Amino acid sequence: MAPLLKDELDIVIPTIRNLDFLEMWRPFFQPYHLIIVQDGDPAKTIKVPDGFDYELYNRNDINRILGPRSSCISFKDSACRCFGYMVSKKKYIFTIDDDCFVAKDPSGKDIDALAKHIQNLLCPSTPLFFNTLYDPYAEGADFVRGYPFSLREGVPTAVSHGLWLNIPDYDAPTQLVKPRERNGRYVDAVMTIPKGTLFPMCGMNLAFRRDLIGPAMYFGLMGDGQPIGRYDDMWAGWCVKVICDHLGLGVKTGLPYIWHSKASNPFVNLKKEYKGIFWQEDIIPFFQAVTLSKDCDTVQKCYIALSQQVREKLGKIDPYFGKLADAMVTWIEAWDMLNSSSKEADANGNAKGK
């Protein structure tokens, strides 16, 4: 049997090192096309195991392809992965970090994380009414008594957010006070994040419908030359969730698990995060209060409207947010330059003329 979505999905991997970790993933990833985004020194040669179908982009390639608009792609930060989303031409994206290994379920069987993400994306979401038995479309589950029949069709799923065994995705202060904590809890559940609820999105085990939400999956300005790091995926997640809520799309979290193999240095992380830790106390209320007009009927229009509100409201906190708002606009310009020449996707993934 051919692998699911073999010709419709790209795997995007940001890296600064040889990709030996792919050997472990070979049974699951080999049939798919990989887009590798090399961060750091473009003169360094990244080795990819034999037998994988891939394209690799370094900073020189990004500058060549995007020209002056390459300024929106972060340097020396895994946020550079979103360049891979932009150059892909596929309907689905799965992105994973190079320190994420194959996890085992409680029975000891290897978890095919990609297959589970695909299953999540191909099933509807239920953001408008919470099902207490979690995902009603899962085998052995259904809608519970009292669930409105008018809402049981659900909405298209735009994002599948997976979790991690072993090293949890903690911020630096939590890492410092719990240096030996490991996650050994395998929770066999997938749930839709309710409409109006934000969440901290982690980019190391993530899949999404590029055709539905791709232009909003911008991982911001992080890393080299920026006052903040390690908020790239969370920034994208807040933007994506607000836009999904507006356009009637769903976001799922839970299965699948990967094995996160190594903890990053908490002191280095604290240096990257400390402004974000303060700023998020204003950023979260901002996203909770954001409204988008009915005219915002495509992801691109939503994202540009969001960038204007970022400039207006968050710009008062720090000049960085003015730069970020500019980069959000540049990102959309670059996306449109590389994709479907002046067409936008509506909430059903259909191309719309501007």
Side-chain angles (χ1 to χ4, degrees):
M1 194 174 77
L4 272 174
L5 306 181
K6 177 181 175 294
D7 300 317
E8 296 179 78
L9 183 142
D10 279 335
I11 299 173
V12 174
I13 305 167
T15 194
I16 55 169
R17 58 181 67 85
N18 293 337
L19 293 178
D20 303 331
F21 93 114
L22 284 173
E23 284 297 352
M24 180 182 289
W25 287 102
R26 189 182 289 278
F28 308 120
F29 288 2
Q30 192 160 1
Y32 295 90
H33 181 68
L34 312 182
I35 297 178
I36 299 159
V37 184
Q38 178 181 342
D39 198 16
D41 182 5
K44 183 180 175 184
T45 300
I46 299 285
K47 290 180 182 158
V48 181
D50 290 343
F52 285 93
D53 170 36
Y54 71 94
E55 53 194 299
L56 187 150
Y57 297 93
N58 63 30
R59 192 71 209 185
N60 294 341
D61 299 315
I62 294 170
N63 293 341
R64 174 176 51 79
I65 292 164
L66 294 184
R69 293 191 175 104
S70 64
S71 61
C72 71
I73 305 296
S74 298
F75 184 55
K76 294 188 178 172
D77 193 282
S78 65
C80 66
R81 79 176 79 222
C82 61
F83 178 76
Y85 310 159
M86 184 187 278
V87 294
S88 170
K89 295 294 176 276
K90 304 285 177 61
K91 187 174 176 180
Y92 300 87
I93 296 283
F94 170 54
T95 185
I96 186 170
D97 284 5
D98 60 14
D99 62 352
C100 294
F101 300 164
V102 177
K104 292 187 184 294
D105 68 17
S107 73
K109 185 182 171 193
D110 284 352
I111 297 167
D112 183 349
L114 179 52
K116 182 59 187 173
H117 276 300
I118 290 170
Q119 185 185 348
N120 289 346
L121 291 172
L122 293 179
C123 287
S125 292
T126 53
L128 302 177
F129 201 88
F130 189 79
N131 192 54
T132 51
L133 205 51
Y134 308 119
D135 186 355
Y137 307 103
E139 195 176 337
D142 212 319
F143 293 97
V144 297
R145 183 170 56 88
Y147 201 100
F149 281 85
S150 58
L151 296 177
R152 293 190 182 194
E153 276 187 25
V155 303
T157 301
V159 180
S160 171
H161 178 256
L163 298 174
W164 350 267
L165 293 170
N166 196 35
I167 306 292
D169 187 28
Y170 284 163
D171 54 35
T174 310
Q175 278 185 296
L176 286 165
V177 297
K178 294 181 165 183
R180 283 183 285 278
E181 183 152 295
R182 300 293 180 264
N183 181 35
R185 287 197 315 153
Y186 180 97
V187 180
D188 187 5
V190 177
M191 62 188 80
T192 299
I193 300 172
K195 183 177 181 178
T197 300
L198 295 171
F199 75 111
M201 188 172 84
C202 171
M204 64 179 153
N205 174 23
L206 179 74
F208 61 93
R209 286 270 304 266
R210 185 179 174 278
D211 61 329
L212 289 186
I213 202 66
M217 271 290 178
Y218 175 47
F219 276 42
L221 279 181
M222 302 281 151
D224 200 45
Q226 306 303 335
I228 185 174
R230 283 174 56 85
Y231 272 81
D232 51 335
D233 42 9
M234 289 185 288
W235 179 262
W238 297 327
C239 293
V240 160
K241 187 58 167 63
V242 163
I243 292 172
C244 280
D245 286 352
H246 176 73
L247 294 177
L249 300 169
V251 177
K252 291 181 177 179
T253 187
L255 301 179
Y257 284 94
I258 50 83
W259 180 268
H260 188 206
S261 65
K262 68 179 199 300
S264 45
N265 185 313
F267 294 101
V268 173
N269 290 347
L270 187 60
K271 197 172 175 184
K272 292 177 180 178
E273 288 174 4
Y274 81 97
K275 286 195 173 180
I277 290 167
F278 289 109
W279 288 346
Q280 71 185 19
E281 300 304 321
D282 292 304
I283 294 171
I284 300 304
F286 162 77
F287 278 105
Q288 287 171 331
V290 157
T291 55
L292 297 167
S293 72
K294 285 184 179 173
D295 293 339
C296 295
D297 58 353
T298 67
V299 177
Q300 280 96 328
K301 287 179 186 174
C302 289
Y303 204 71
I304 294 297
L306 195 52
S307 75
Q308 291 162 352
Q309 294 184 53
V310 167
R311 185 190 316 282
E312 184 188 322
K313 305 269 177 59
L314 296 180
K316 296 169 186 170
I317 299 170
D318 192 274
Y320 165 74
F321 290 99
K323 281 172 62 182
L324 179 54
D326 289 341
M328 291 168 75
V329 174
T330 304
W331 161 264
I332 292 295
E333 290 171 355
W335 183 282
D336 285 346
M337 178 177 81
L338 295 187
N339 292 283
S340 68
S341 62
S342 85
K343 287 191 175 176
E344 298 177 331
D346 65 14
N348 297 311
N350 301 313
K352 293 182 65 167
K354 279 189 178 169

